[in-house]
Amino acid sequence: MKEGGPMNVMTQKFVDFIKEEEGLTTVEYAVAGALVAAAVVIAFRALGLQVGTVINGLTNAIGGSV
């Protein structure tokens, strides 16, 4: 049986590449990792501000200056 020429082979390889989901899952993991990293940065930034406020309040309560 004849393959149909180089154009059909290239077309089939392209279709196989598009159907392959491995590359897509890698991109999904990268996006998920970036979202987790952003959430961690936001959480630590908010936590840091709250901790700073508490420390300043305690320092003022005991009569010190920051």
Side-chain angles (χ1 to χ4, degrees):
M1 191 167 185
K2 191 175 178 184
E3 284 187 44
M7 192 56 129
N8 285 343
V9 173
M10 292 296 289
T11 303
Q12 187 60 45
K13 287 191 182 288
F14 180 74
V15 169
D16 291 343
F17 176 76
I18 296 298
K19 286 183 179 178
E20 185 179 326
E21 293 186 15
E22 270 185 51
L24 186 61
T25 56
T26 303
V27 171
E28 290 170 350
Y29 280 124
V31 170
L35 290 174
V36 168
V40 167
V41 167
I42 291 169
F44 278 128
R45 180 171 274 181
L47 182 62
L49 293 174
Q50 289 176 358
V51 169
T53 302
V54 169
I55 290 174
N56 286 337
L58 290 172
T59 303
N60 290 334
I62 60 173
S65 64
V66 178

